[in-house]
Amino acid sequence: MTRTGTGDDPEDIADLLLRVARKIQLAEPGEGIDLTHLEGMVMTRIDDEPGITPTDLRAALNLKSSNMSATLRSLEAKGLIERTRDEHDGRMVRIRSTPFSAENLTRVRAGWAEMLSDLLPDATETAHLAAVLRRLDAGLG
């Protein structure tokens, strides 16, 4: 089977989205800390749900416990997350991103903006693309 990526069918759109995502991910993060794909997914979920538990995070991303533990250790070592005991149940751990993580994300997003600004010069086209991508993101869970 040959992948052409030249059609407008859903499978071609998926292929194009993956190609673009890989190119964005492989681009230098500028001044930001380089994250693996998995670390990026975990950070996005933590930012979306501050205070999420490791168990809920693992379930949401459908990861093995060992992969989740290793990823959280790596993110903690990079200074991007902090683990705290739940104030109501001391046995439970909550995960939040750090202020350093927010600064890092700002730097990375600035690099993305610089990389894409010349490619998305039309505000109407950009707004439409953003709406479509948000719909896909919400629809895929």
Side-chain angles (χ1 to χ4, degrees):
M1 177 172 127
T2 304
R3 285 193 278 163
T4 62
T6 58
D8 295 334
D9 296 322
E11 63 271 20
D12 293 322
I13 299 299
D15 185 54
L16 286 169
L17 285 170
L18 288 170
R19 288 174 188 223
V20 170
R22 286 183 191 117
K23 289 175 183 177
I24 290 171
Q25 188 176 26
L26 291 173
E28 290 294 317
E31 298 292 320
I33 293 176
D34 195 20
L35 299 179
T36 67
H37 178 68
L38 180 56
E39 289 172 336
M41 286 179 19
V42 169
M43 286 306 304
T44 296
R45 195 61 184 231
I46 292 169
D47 287 339
D48 287 348
E49 293 184 52
I52 192 169
T53 66
T55 300
D56 290 342
L57 184 58
R58 183 184 59 74
L61 297 175
N62 196 28
L63 295 173
K64 294 179 182 178
S65 294
S66 58
N67 291 347
M68 178 56 60
S69 296
T71 301
L72 291 176
R73 280 193 305 273
S74 175
L75 292 170
E76 198 168 30
K78 292 176 181 180
L80 299 174
I81 64 165
E82 60 186 7
R83 302 181 214 211
T84 57
R85 293 279 172 204
D86 184 276
E87 59 186 51
H88 303 292
D89 182 351
R91 298 170 296 171
M92 191 178 303
V93 172
R94 301 280 178 183
I95 305 168
R96 289 179 178 74
S97 58
T98 63
F100 175 69
S101 175
E103 294 167 13
N104 183 66
L105 184 57
T106 297
R107 288 189 298 270
V108 169
R109 290 175 61 88
W112 291 342
E114 185 178 327
M115 177 176 52
L116 296 176
S117 62
D118 290 340
L119 300 172
L120 298 169
D122 181 270
T124 302
E125 183 180 63
T126 301
H128 179 69
L129 177 60
V132 169
L133 291 173
R134 282 189 195 98
R135 189 172 68 237
L136 288 171
D137 184 40
L140 295 172

